[in-house]
DNA sequence: GCCATCTGCTTGAGGTCGTCAAACGTCGCT
DNA sequence: AGCGACGTTTGACGACCTCAAGCAGATGGC
């Protein structure tokens, strides 16, 4: 009996671990961007998840952030206190509070997205052909 | 003048954004693993970063976790209280505290790593050839 | 209409995270 | 020995996170 068919770690597993490592080792710019805008990481995450021009219920945001409803209340409180976001009761169901990104919020968000889309050094070590290949694989996976 | 040479978003930028999204949208298993072991996310992160059999100074761990030295003190306190980790002053410099993963800690860590290396559904949608391609690109980038 | 029930959000308690400033013990050097 | 630098810890304070409880608004049966 030689090597069994199942490898010790599949290519998908190893790819997943490598991606996790790549992200973990390159969170420096993320924290730097947070500090620059004087926002906490959860606040930045929330602002990033809120599409401007798309009113989003609190509970939807909670789902996206994998956390409790009551937790978003506090995070949104602080974003609202800074004038980056507003709450507006939905017209058809006034229990629901829609979150809206203000103009200032959209400006901050745009700066954040710009900074966070800056690829880290390991990706830049790939040739442009390889970068495209990587992008296409990810597009297909997430498609 | 036609389209300028610099594209609106480079392939590397888009790949980076897609990877970030893939990780953000697939943190469910991570939180599930934390809950299963009754550990907080930072505690899991720390335990995952500590290679068993490699004594690691507190400040090294702080660097890996992108956070303050005084913060890891508390996190390690809790891990130590659970018997997953121990502190031992380095022999040549007694200011330094080396962190050691206990046998029980190594067992918990092994379970965690096994769970966290499970690739998310989007990666499994790629063919095995594409998975290998993705893995090879990431290997090369992280070289 | 009226009430029970459910849902979405908020509040409060309790614990962890995260950062800063200050303190303590240890090291290296002169 | 004494001085400055370093690794860790402590304490204070705010933010995060979860749970349980509460509140207003919506829904369905009668």
């Amino acid at each position: 009996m030689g090597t069994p068919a199942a490898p010790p770690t599949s290519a998908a597993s190893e790819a997943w671990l490598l991606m996790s490592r790549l992200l973990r080792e390159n969170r420096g710019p993320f924290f730097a961007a947070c500090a620059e805008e004087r926002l906490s990481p959860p606040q930045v995450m929330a602002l990033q998840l809120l599409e401007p021009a798309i009113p989003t219920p609190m509970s939807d945001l909670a789902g996206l952030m994998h956390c409790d409803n009551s937790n978003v209340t506090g995070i949104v409180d602080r974003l609202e206190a800074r004038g980056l976001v507003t709450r507006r009761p939905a017209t058809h169901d006034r229990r629901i509070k829609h979150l809206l990104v203000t103009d200032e919020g959209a400006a901050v968000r745009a700066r954040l997205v710009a900074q966070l889309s800056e690829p880290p050094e390991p990706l830049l070590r790939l040739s442009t052909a390889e970068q495209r290949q990587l992008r296409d694989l990810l597009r297909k996976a997430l498609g």
Side-chain angles (χ1 to χ4, degrees), chain A:
Chain A
M1 23 148 150
T3 312
T9 69
S10 74
S13 281
E14 188 181 340
W16 178 238
L17 287 174
L18 288 170
M19 280 181 41
S20 305
R21 198 183 115 201
L22 183 56
L23 256 91
R24 184 172 13 95
E25 290 175 357
N26 289 281
R27 287 190 301 183
F30 173 71
F31 291 123
C34 293
E36 220 164 292
E37 301 291 346
R38 305 219 165 254
L39 292 170
S40 69
Q43 286 163 11
V44 167
M45 190 114 289
L47 190 54
Q48 204 182 349
L49 288 168
L50 291 176
E51 213 89 40
I54 297 187
T56 309
M58 301 278 294
S59 42
D60 284 18
L61 183 55
L64 292 171
M65 293 183 65
H66 292 284
C67 75
D68 199 275
N69 273 358
S70 66
N71 196 9
V72 232
T73 296
I75 295 172
V76 168
D77 279 350
R78 287 172 276 267
L79 286 176
E80 197 173 22
R82 293 230 188 161
L84 306 181
V85 152
T86 55
R87 278 181 247 236
R88 181 162 55 68
T91 55
H92 62 299
D93 184 344
R94 295 218 309 285
R95 290 174 302 181
I96 297 174
K97 303 270 182 74
H98 277 151
L99 299 176
L100 294 176
V101 180
T102 65
D103 290 348
E104 189 185 345
V108 171
R109 197 186 105 102
R111 284 199 297 274
L112 285 170
V113 170
Q115 288 206 32
L116 298 183
S117 56
E118 201 60 41
E121 185 267 343
L123 287 192
L124 295 176
R125 277 212 302 263
L126 296 175
S127 71
T128 58
E130 289 166 332
Q131 291 173 6
R132 276 195 295 272
Q133 213 177 353
L134 180 61
R135 175 202 59 190
D136 292 341
L137 286 167
L138 292 166
R139 270 188 189 167
K140 183 170 180 189
L142 287 162

